[in-house]
Amino acid sequence: MKMFCYQCQETLGNKGCTVNGICGKKGDVANLQDLLLYALKGVAIFRKNISLEIRKEYREMCSEVDKFILEQLFSTITNANFDRNYFIEAIKETIKMREIGKQKVAEMGLGAGKFTDHDAANFTITDADIDAKAATIGVLTTENEDVRSLRELLTYGVKGMAAYADHALRLGKEAKEIVMFIEKALISTLDDSLSVDEMVGLVLEAGKYSVDAMAVLDAANTESYGHPEITEVNIGVRKNPAILISGHDLKDMEELLEQTKGTGVDVYTHGEMLPANYYPAFKKYDHFVGNYGNAWWKQKEEFEKFNGAIILTTNCLVPPKDSYKNRVFTTNSVGFDGVKHIADPEKGKAKDFSAVIELAKTLPAPTEIETGKIVGGFAHNQVLALADKIVDAVKSGAIKKFVVMAGCDGRQKGRNYYTDFAQALPKDTIILTAGCAKYRYNKLDLGDIDGIPRVLDAGQCNDSYSLAVIALKLKEVFGLDDINDLPIIYNIAWYEQKAVTVLLALLYLGVKNIHLGPTLPAFLSPNVTKVLVEKFDIAGITNVEDDIKDMI
Ligand code: SF4
Ligand code: SF3
């Protein structure tokens, strides 16, 4: 076996990728990601005795390490980074950080951190080294399948949490408690003395910090760019040269729109960047045209047709085809061999997108693939502004149920289920969504109920937080004691690790009866699945007809 990874929904045979990833990740890169994760645990260990107070006192120094940890975890999420050299450098950097950190901690009298080898990071790393080391620290080295399952569930939850906290940090919102939990979680995966109950406890605690991470990001986004509002998003094209921006990072969106102003270059969103169209701060740009295309997995076809320059600010990147690779740029934790990378700016400066803009100017306008509009912008503030209307519709019986269909999209054939499910739902149901799962049904004409569209899109996957806020508000309005007494059902689609974070957040909020598909995660062992079923009534999906009967 060359590698082992089962962190996403498309893992080979729903068991595990063992040679190269279905996602396109090569075996050596998978092993380097294992090594990076392991090295980060070393950083977490030296920080164990650094209290929140000390972290606040030495804010600048500590924040740099926080940022580093978050970015590195982010880089190991599915479809974020495929670049071997990135990981080799990241591992060296991590080891260096660990050694310097150990020394500092010892100097501060906080523990027995011993400065061992300052040159530890200056090693050369061969394929044989990588594979040999990965074999001793990778996923399968935890032999007990239940322990492994709980450790990986926690690890994936923490990766998604790191991604959300990283976005918030880029907008100036620090969350040191979240980073401290991430470190505690990472350390716990090396601790053989923990009982199963303690490990389950950590998974549930991860749910609490997942809610916190999404809440911090929600505050960062809305304080920076205003509250999302109902918006008709154009899905057609204009005749100017253009840039397509994908991923989840709104700070990049802002800086790109600013820098493209008056250049004659239009800007379109793709995939998870679609919700940028809903923010008031971005609507003022005349050259921000709308959204082009669909979810991440259609990018090979859609990037080809877009003709212009493309920026990936986060996952999901599909290994680019040679025909358009020279038009693709990555930034933040994203990377791919041979694809140009836009580096972080110096402190206090804006990121420099000039190379992307200059290239875009030389390229033809996008080919039209569709025309029309889609409607979105139903994050918590907007939905709560419509609360009276919605409550009246529930009381009058016009709305019978809300169906949360948030999560990820993916390329597996069986995902047609979500299109069929949305279409087969009774007309008195409202779909609440967030994440790229919405592309399975957001262009269907599902109509409205008393003027309320039947698909309410809150935004990106992290905006699932909005759906939780809405549910809690409805619980209050209807005077219910239990969130599960609301007329809401959950049929969630997952693909990568941020969806695991969202799932843990919902479990922490006490939501039961979540249906998770298209397949249950391969990393859930039969016993861990049993615990989730017993404690939370989690279930998979079957077929549209039976599921509608069962859920509605
Ligand atoms: Fe396989 Fe998914 Fe891991 Fe890629 S991320 S190697 S597809 S399990
Ligand atoms: Fe989509 Fe990758 Fe998960 Fe953010 S962009 S929801 S899959």
Side-chain angles (χ1 to χ4, degrees), residues 3 5-8 10-12 17 20-23 25 78:
M3 61 170 277
C5 180
Y6 62 175
Q7 67 175 354
C8 84
E10 292 186 2
T11 195
L12 185 67
C17 297
N20 291 314
I22 298 284
C23 58
K25 180 166 79 180
T78 301

Side-chain angles (χ1 to χ4, degrees), residues 446-463:
L446 295 178
D448 63 87
I449 300 177
D450 299 343
I452 305 164
R454 286 197 51 233
V455 179
L456 300 184
D457 176 23
Q460 299 178 334
C461 48
N462 44 289
D463 295 310

Side-chain angles (χ1 to χ4, degrees), residues 262-442:
T263 61
V265 173
D266 286 341
V267 173
Y268 296 77
T269 53
H270 186 266
E272 272 285 72
M273 198 57 92
L274 157 65
N277 288 277
Y278 312 154
Y279 284 88
F282 301 141
K283 291 185 176 178
K284 63 176 191 249
Y285 296 96
D286 294 339
H287 64 293
F288 182 17
V289 179
N291 189 70
Y292 188 86
N294 295 280
W296 64 272
W297 62 276
K298 290 215 173 147
Q299 65 189 249
K300 277 196 174 159
E301 188 189 312
E302 292 171 354
F303 286 5
E304 186 87 64
K305 294 207 169 109
F306 183 72
N307 304 328
I310 298 151
I311 307 171
L312 262 296
T313 66
T314 69
N315 62 316
C316 279
L317 171 68
V318 174
K321 282 162 71 177
D322 286 343
S323 54
Y324 62 78
K325 192 172 175 182
N326 62 348
R327 296 192 268 120
V328 178
F329 294 78
T330 59
T331 189
N332 306 325
S333 297
V334 193
F336 197 90
D337 299 14
V339 167
K340 293 171 280 291
H341 188 82
I342 310 286
D344 267 356
E346 277 172 42
K347 218 169 174 183
K349 296 212 168 135
K351 201 177 265 183
D352 180 6
F353 287 110
S354 57
V356 191
I357 300 167
E358 288 315 308
L359 177 68
K361 284 181 186 167
T362 68
L363 296 167
T367 306
E368 184 170 278
I369 51 175
E370 55 193 346
T371 55
K373 294 201 181 318
I374 43 179
V375 181
F378 296 92
H380 55 90
N381 194 65
Q382 179 65 81
V383 174
L384 297 186
L386 297 172
D388 289 348
K389 209 171 167 186
I390 293 173
V391 169
D392 286 349
V394 173
K395 285 189 176 153
S396 73
I399 296 178
K400 290 261 166 38
K401 282 221 194 259
F402 297 92
V403 188
V404 174
M405 290 182 73
C408 310
D409 197 7
R411 58 200 134 196
Q412 264 188 359
K413 284 216 172 65
R415 283 187 188 255
N416 283 343
Y417 165 94
Y418 294 103
T419 311
D420 299 344
F421 187 89
Q423 265 170 326
L425 278 169
K427 299 276 174 281
D428 52 11
T429 54
I430 295 270
I431 296 173
L432 302 175
T433 192
C436 61
K438 63 172 139 299
Y439 284 102
R440 288 283 167 174
Y441 45 79
N442 68 347

